Amino acid sequence: MNSAPTDPIAAFQQERHERIAGYAADTAWQELSTSWLRRAFEQRYMHNFSWLDRPIIQTPSDIIAMQQVIWQTRPDLIIETGIAHGGSLIFSASMLALLDISDAIEAGEKLNPRVTRRKVLGIDIDIRAHNRAAIEAHPLASRIDMIQGSSIAPEIIEQARAIAANYSRVLVCLDSNHTHKHVLAELDAYAELTSRGSYCVVFDTIIEDMPEDLFPDRPWGPGNNPKTAVWTYLKSHPEFEIDMSIQNRLLITAAPDGYLKRVA
Ligand SMILES: C[S@@+](CC[C@H](N)C(=O)[O-])C[C@H]1O[C@@H](n2cnc3c(N)ncnc32)[C@H](O)[C@@H]1O
């Protein structure tokens, strides 16, 4: 018996859902994707892209996934650790601008582009002067606040918490220092700010699946990286679950086991 829905949109979604769930068993394709990512790291592929003119250090498929996550969860604050050139801040700001536009249309209100309800908070230990100047000169700058300092320093965490207290739907992205110790400390500090139903996204968990010698000048590698931190954190935090549907859909992702959904 065919259980496909008759509504064509629902039928499309059901077919897509079932097909993606089937990818989870395709280990050959997963291995191919991991080797593709290894070559991408070797060739600095993740440094090839910009979002609205600012370099963004992400895999394009993860940017698409973040677009889906943000549109679906409709955060009013996105907290990001790791700013670099500012591309991910500008990406988040652009998504928040679209959410504000969609709210205004739905409410039948006129949108004042200078009134920016939704915001992004970026934290980085080293905001280079040229990057700060370019981010501050960007048309979306009014949506962005930046704090310079280590994301795990108590005074920085305190500032982020004070800001988050003014918002009701918070999404967190961790993309700074990729050692186990640092990411675990970030999870301890920031994950609890994630609203229920929203996500704490931990980038570069893929390091666990890369060869030992791929990051010779970095303190992280297999056994010491964001994925090992996520696994440790989840042992005592059942309020978060890995959203496997995202990595199953992407295959090419720098964040396998890193899309953490707050379920309680
Ligand atoms: C991978 S880049 C961030 C990329 C950015 N999210 C994007 O998508 O374009 C990592 C950033 O983390 C910052 N960083 C390193 N250690 C840090 C720390 N302890 N606290 C905060 N930021 C840190 C670095 O200065 C660097 O700018």
Side-chain angles (χ1 to χ4, degrees):
M1 205 176 77
N2 187 358
S3 62
T6 48
D7 166 28
I9 296 175
F12 176 87
Q13 280 168 347
Q14 183 174 315
E15 184 277 327
R16 180 164 74 176
H17 177 78
E18 286 166 5
R19 181 166 33 79
I20 289 169
Y23 294 173
D26 192 338
T27 49
W29 196 10
Q30 286 158 17
E31 280 162 21
L32 200 59
S33 303
T34 305
S35 17
W36 188 95
L37 280 158
R38 174 195 175 148
R39 190 74 183 129
F41 270 112
E42 285 167 358
Q43 294 295 324
R44 289 171 63 80
Y45 172 87
M46 289 74 163
H47 293 247
N48 289 354
F49 307 96
S50 292
W51 191 266
L52 305 183
D53 221 23
R54 289 310 300 152
I56 180 166
I57 309 171
Q58 299 288 349
T59 314
S61 45
D62 283 310
I63 301 174
I64 295 286
M66 286 305 300
Q67 170 271 138
Q68 288 189 219
V69 164
I70 293 170
W71 195 256
Q72 180 201 323
T73 59
R74 304 183 82 78
D76 53 7
L77 176 70
I78 299 179
I79 300 175
E80 296 191 21
T81 66
I83 295 175
H85 304 265
S88 59
L89 287 187
I90 301 292
F91 166 75
S92 293
S94 68
M95 288 303 304
L96 296 182
L98 291 174
L99 285 172
D100 277 351
I101 290 171
S102 99
D103 277 356
I105 290 171
E106 210 158 285
E109 288 166 1
K110 215 166 167 217
L111 185 81
N112 178 351
R114 296 197 188 281
V115 176
T116 51
R117 192 174 78 74
R118 294 181 160 94
K119 292 260 189 172
V120 191
L121 171 64
I123 300 166
D124 199 295
I125 199 167
D126 180 18
I127 307 174
R128 307 261 164 99
H130 57 279
N131 288 330
R132 180 187 283 279
I135 295 165
E136 287 176 351
H138 196 279
L140 290 169
S142 63
R143 292 190 176 270
I144 298 171
D145 290 325
M146 291 181 278
I147 304 177
Q148 178 159 289
S150 175
S151 54
I152 59 169
E155 67 277 14
I156 302 292
I157 297 168
E158 205 177 300
Q159 286 179 60
R161 286 195 178 156
I163 291 169
N166 300 317
Y167 293 86
S168 54
R169 271 187 281 187
V170 181
L171 186 144
V172 174
C173 297
L174 305 179
D175 188 21
S176 67
N177 177 322
H178 300 316
T179 62
H180 175 97
K181 193 172 166 208
H182 186 85
V183 179
L184 190 54
E186 282 192 329
L187 282 163
D188 284 334
Y190 297 97
E192 69 183 52
L193 301 179
T194 309
S195 311
R196 196 171 309 143
S198 185
Y199 286 75
C200 174
V201 183
V202 184
F203 286 102
D204 280 319
T205 47
I206 189 69
I207 293 167
E208 175 66 7
D209 309 310
M210 293 291 113
E212 194 85 49
D213 59 359
L214 195 60
F215 309 99
D217 54 347
R218 299 293 198 173
W220 48 81
N224 172 17
N225 58 69
K227 196 190 268 187
T228 58
V230 164
W231 288 343
T232 301
Y233 184 78
L234 290 183
K235 280 182 196 158
S236 53
H237 289 275
E239 71 273 24
F240 283 96
E241 282 176 4
I242 296 169
D243 185 343
M244 295 300 290
S245 72
I246 298 180
Q247 67 202 62
N248 288 345
R249 178 187 317 145
L250 295 178
L251 286 127
I252 302 280
T253 172
D257 292 6
Y259 286 89
L260 307 181
K261 184 169 186 175
R262 183 151 193 184
V263 293

